[in-house]
Amino acid sequence: MSKIDEKLQPVLDEVLRRNAGEAEFHQAVHEVLESLGRVVAKHPEYAHHALIERICEPERQIIFRVPWVDDSGQVQINRGFRVQFNSALGPYKGGIRFHPSVNLGIIKFLGFEQIFKNALTGMPIGGGKGGSDFNPRGRSDGEIMRFCQAFMTELQRHLGEYTDVPAGDIGVGGREIGYMFGQYKRLTNRYEAGVLTGKGLVYGGSRARTEATGFGLVYFVQQMLATKGATLDGKRVVVSGSGNVAIYAIEKVQQFDGRVLACSDSNGYVLDEGGIDLALLKEIKEVRRERLSDYVRMKGAGAHYIEGGSIWDVACDVALPCATQNELTGKDATTLIRNGVQVVGEGANMPSTPDAVDLFHQNGVMFAPGKAANAGGVATSALEMQQNASRDSWTFDQTEARLAQIMRGIHDNCAATADEYSAPGNYVLGANIAGFVRVAEAMQSLGVI
Ligand code: NDP
């Protein structure tokens, strides 16, 4: 990581001191503060009234016990989190993650990123994030339902369509949102559709929300390529992960005639030189809920499963990390650069380590940070809230057209901001500054709160 501005170093030091041991949160704050040096040099007023210090401190952090009963009658205990980070622009908005690695530092990093991402969408949503260290893998449908109900039994008292509106994230898809919404409705006796997003279509969901993060990522990458007069047509693409974001990124790349060679899960990756068979991938992951290794068994000739291997060893023009934080290291970046990668677009949150990002910048690789490139998911969640509030339901085409327009807006805003701050082509700087300025202006107007 490079050095940050001397005026901002004490802010970072204080964050490190007060949040000891929260490595991912430190990393996320460091990256944003690194970009803000140029802003406070140009606009010192943004550093007044401890504004940046306040942005780094969550408005509220909730940690709670989640007791539930498994299929064998044993009582299980998990820990639940909701970090309500910043509500200057609107109700807290951000997903819920169920994964055994979840801890407070990870939820804080995600909530912090969410503030700037949500600001970039231009929509009236603040930043928050939540989750649990619950591991859904191998759990029966009944266990998933009982866990979701237990989790919502506590969380519901902190939510509301004007207060805090969660959505999905790793381990939380349509099924889990359904169980949580059902429990919210039952406990509150209110059909408050706008309290959760990512809902099923029959009970208040939005068309194109399932696809939105992956589709939006590819729209963003398409915009980046267009600045060089290029397109995705014929490009070799590698997508890590095989969950919600990865699947719909693959779908949109294929619609734009790109060739997706590989995708992965936490055990290994599939290489299919003929191009990933999306219908088969969806059948395995969305219908059967099985492991990616089954792809090769079902596909037969032409596909290989490389257990424990790094998907970034596959030569490609475009790399789309869509699994999890810090999954693409400096070593991986070096391999990708050696193999001629032109564009890296982050579908996941903070999937590239800081040294990987530095390497991409130093070697002229176009790089889109997650908080800009994956903002299509939360933007479409805001469109879902809009449809719920107006008791309306839009067509797929209408919703996707709004998504494409929002992604174009985010791209252009990041690019123009990078130009304005003398860093043309640096989307990290553009995203951090453009997101920060919107939040900072709102916070200045609201007084010291
Ligand atoms: P899913 O649970 O649907 O899929 C996650 C995928 O990533 C799975 O293939 C999973 O493999 C893999 N993965 C998860 N953890 C690890 C790990 N520690 N190491 C390697 N692989 C891992 O989640 P999503 O697709 O929703 O989310 C993916 C990323 O996108 C996350 O960073 C999330 O925060 C971000 N994101 C999601 C949005 C959304 O709308 N869903 C919006 C914006 C960002 P396995 O099955 O083996 O665990």
Side-chain angles (χ1 to χ4, degrees), residues 241-258:
S242 49
N244 173 266
V245 180
I247 286 174
Y248 293 96
I250 294 172
E251 183 164 319
K252 190 49 83 181
V253 168
Q254 293 182 344
Q255 284 176 15
F256 286 142
D257 297 318

